[in-house]
Amino acid sequence: AQKVTQAQTEISVVEKEDVTLDCVYETRDTTYYLFWYKQPPSGELVFLIRRNSFDEQNEISGRYSWNFQKSTSSFNFTITASQVVDSAVYFCALSGFTGRRALTFGSGTRLQVQP
Amino acid sequence: NAGVTQTPKFQVLKTGQSMTLQCAQDMNHEYMSWYRQDPGMGLRLIHYSVGAGITDQGEVPNGYNVSRSTTEDFPLRLLSAAPSQTSVYFCASSWGGRNTEAFFGQGTRLTVV
């Protein structure tokens, strides 16, 4: 069975602070995908990143960066110099590499960025 | 491009009523799935399909039926609505290839009274 844990229910920061959202996962699969999605107040789900389990390179995209550590089953997401527009619920998710491709989601972390 | 289209966006049902949530995608994706989102629980998989004519249950399938007669459409049927089915429902689709992301519809907010 797959499981994704986002222990931080809610985080509040002041604009320009850096913030890290934690994600820990469990799976018996040897190859899998990890994802982060953003859900702004408008409610849609916005894809942020996909990571293959056999690619442990960290990734940076603008103010966003992701730290994948297979040894600790973690896939953490850092926002540098946060902005009010980053306020949203962020979901970490996991899917298998073959067969069923449906996502197993964490419970989400609500990020509030105060001006 | 329309992407993944869900209808309706909002719906209020009475307990015991039945209805169908529609989901259509125009990207020729093989994989489609339905999730429900409840406060504090993230999104949970209801049913999924790996292609036309093939469906299977997810984590929380009770009270829901699906069918996939075409690649494009994947409707979700509530057989006899219950207040516990009050939720936001999302449909998603993705390619069958290796490097793929799931594209989500805008969601349907369902209230059962």
Side-chain angles (χ1 to χ4, degrees), chain A residues 36-80:
Chain A
W36 277 94
Y37 282 85
K38 174 182 180 179
Q39 187 176 44
S42 50
E44 74 272 23
L45 285 157
V46 178
F47 168 79
L48 295 178
I49 190 172
R50 175 194 60 247
R51 172 62 67 211
N52 303 330
S53 58
F54 47 82
D55 179 3
E56 290 195 62
Q57 269 193 319
N58 290 328
E59 182 153 342
I60 298 174
S61 176
R63 296 184 297 107
Y64 295 169
S65 62
W66 291 269
N67 182 6
F68 174 39
Q69 292 198 343
K70 208 166 179 179
S71 60
T72 57
S73 297
S74 65
F75 186 44
N76 296 338
F77 173 30
T78 297
I79 301 174
T80 302

Side-chain angles (χ1 to χ4, degrees), chain B residues 67-85:
Chain B
S67 60
R68 183 103 178 264
S69 55
T70 67
T71 299
E72 294 78 20
D73 299 300
F74 191 43
L76 178 72
R77 282 182 284 279
L78 279 71
L79 309 173
S80 176
S84 60
Q85 294 178 305

Side-chain angles (χ1 to χ4, degrees), chain A residues 8-22:
Chain A
Q8 303 151 309
T9 305
E10 187 159 348
I11 300 174
S12 184
V13 299
V14 176
E15 212 170 14
K16 297 184 184 174
E17 282 186 25
D18 298 347
V19 58
T20 295
L21 310 182
D22 296 332

Side-chain angles (χ1 to χ4, degrees), chain B residues 10-28:
Chain B
F10 301 94
Q11 182 71 49
V12 178
L13 285 180
K14 293 183 179 178
T15 297
Q17 286 185 317
S18 62
M19 80 159 294
T20 299
L21 306 186
Q22 301 291 345
C23 176
Q25 52 93 6
D26 61 358
M27 298 172 280
N28 203 31

Side-chain angles (χ1 to χ4, degrees), chain B residues 2 9 12 15 27 32 34 39 48-49 52 63-64 71 75 88-89 93 99-100 103 107:
Chain B
K9 286 189 169 49
V12 178
T15 297
M27 298 172 280
M32 296 188 74
W34 277 101
Y48 67 96
S49 170
Y64 307 96
T71 299
V88 180
Y89 291 84
S93 74
N99 291 315
T100 183
F103 293 81

Side-chain angles (χ1 to χ4, degrees), chain A residues 33 35 37 39 43-45 47 50 52 54 91 97-108, chain B residues 31 35 37 40-43 45 48 50 57-58 90 94-102 104 106:
Chain A
Y33 291 114
F35 300 80
Y37 282 85
Q39 187 176 44
E44 74 272 23
L45 285 157
F47 168 79
R50 175 194 60 247
N52 303 330
F54 47 82
F91 291 100
F97 202 75
T98 58
R100 185 176 112 168
R101 291 297 188 90
L103 295 162
T104 299
F105 282 86
S107 55
Chain B
Y31 291 84
Y35 299 85
Q37 182 178 16
M41 301 187 73
L43 283 80
L45 180 68
Y48 67 96
V50 299
Q57 297 181 351
F90 285 96
S94 62
W95 289 109
R98 295 179 69 185
N99 291 315
T100 183
E101 69 189 74
F104 284 84
Q106 294 293 311

